[in-house]
Amino acid sequence: MQVVEVFLVLALLCCSSWKVWSITLCKETNLDKVRPHSVSITEFGAVGDGITLNTKAFQNAIFYLNSFSDKGGAKLFVPAGRWLTGSFDLISHLTLWLDKDAVILGSTNSEDWPVVEPLPSYGRGRELPGARHRSLIYGSNLTDVIITGNEGIIDGQGSIWWSKFRNKTLDYTRPHLVELMNSTGILISNLTFLNSPFWTIHPVYCSQVTVQNVTILAPLDSPNTDGIDPGKLSAYY
């Protein structure tokens, strides 16, 4: 694992994108596209004060944008502010855009991170038998998803989870910050990811995944806050 992590860090520092199983390691893949429909999270009642819980706003906005999935897709715009939220699902043909000085904050209440079944390939949680908490930003069976912005931030506020891990008080395996399952055509770029409760970016059973121009940070003593952990990918770029 240490060798893999070193390779990931070197790849991200040296290249604008990281590509596996290709001779063009540093070739940038630009999957960005213009969506014909766009809304701001504020249109759904979200408040960017770092205190108000905006889970319902994110869920309602994405539910609304799903009606445009067969019309060229849609963009959810997150403006400057500190947007506290629990876990929410993405949809196909969606761009989640964080503007400059926009920060999505993971809730510090574990009840805002739903409990789900373990991954089939594991058969149990990574840290405990049974279920696991779902990631802050989650998607399954999706196509054409972009998570990007103008140097915005996604902060998992993972310290409460690290403490539970160290104190052996976890009820379920800790959540990842971003997890996409059984999906294809994924771009994650131009963002900073901070303080993930567990692994930071976890694409699993996916294909055609691009991660480029990202910064991933967590304290040196934070447990198992891996940067990018691809799992069982058929094609990862």
Side-chain angles (χ1 to χ4, degrees):
M1 179 61 75
Q2 288 181 340
V3 173
V4 173
E5 289 173 350
V6 169
F7 177 77
L8 284 170
V9 170
L10 290 175
L12 288 168
L13 287 174
C14 296
C15 309
S16 56
S17 65
W18 182 59
K19 181 175 288 189
V20 172
W21 304 318
S22 169
I23 60 173
T24 55
L25 177 65
C26 297
K27 180 179 178 182
E28 182 169 333
T29 304
N30 182 12
L31 299 181
D32 199 7
K33 59 185 66 177
V34 176
R35 305 290 193 187
H37 308 279
S38 178
V39 297
S40 171
I41 191 64
T42 58
E43 297 176 46
F44 295 84
V47 179
D49 59 4
I51 300 172
T52 303
L53 188 65
N54 296 296
T55 311
K56 286 295 184 184
F58 277 99
Q59 292 172 343
N60 290 341
I62 291 171
F63 178 81
Y64 168 76
L65 292 176
N66 196 38
S67 63
F68 301 105
S69 62
D70 60 349
K71 303 177 180 65
K75 173 180 175 180
L76 178 56
F77 178 78
V78 182
R82 295 174 62 80
W83 309 92
L84 182 69
T85 181
S87 175
F88 61 91
D89 288 16
L90 302 181
I91 56 172
S92 294
H93 310 295
L94 175 74
T95 296
L96 175 63
W97 177 279
L98 280 71
D99 205 15
K100 185 175 178 59
D101 298 322
V103 183
I104 291 180
L105 293 169
S107 170
T108 56
N109 183 348
S110 62
E111 294 183 1
D112 295 323
W113 305 66
V115 174
V116 296
E117 293 298 313
L119 291 174
S121 55
Y122 297 156
R124 52 157 288 163
R126 289 285 292 181
E127 298 174 309
L128 294 169
R132 64 197 180 108
H133 286 280
R134 193 174 66 180
S135 62
L136 183 66
I137 298 175
Y138 177 79
S140 180
N141 298 300
L142 304 182
T143 302
D144 177 26
V145 174
I146 300 173
I147 304 171
T148 189
N150 184 17
E151 308 302 332
I153 296 171
I154 300 175
D155 185 345
Q157 301 200 100
S159 60
I160 63 159
W161 299 97
W162 309 334
S163 295
K164 288 183 177 183
F165 174 81
R166 294 187 183 106
N167 297 333
K168 302 186 185 303
T169 56
L170 286 169
D171 294 320
Y172 305 99
T173 293
R174 288 173 290 157
H176 307 304
L177 194 54
V178 177
E179 182 177 66
L180 297 166
M181 296 177 56
N182 300 304
S183 298
T184 185
I186 308 301
L187 172 63
I188 301 173
S189 68
N190 302 329
L191 295 172
T192 294
F193 298 85
L194 303 177
N195 304 315
S196 178
F198 198 21
W199 302 345
T200 304
I201 299 174
H202 185 222
V204 60
Y205 319 130
C206 292
S207 62
Q208 300 174 19
V209 178
T210 300
V211 180
Q212 63 187 32
N213 301 329
V214 303
T215 299
I216 299 173
L217 299 172
L220 288 175
D221 63 348
S222 57
N224 304 108
T225 52
D226 304 16
I228 304 170
D229 258 322
K232 293 188 178 295
L233 301 179
S234 57
Y236 180 66
Y237 300 95

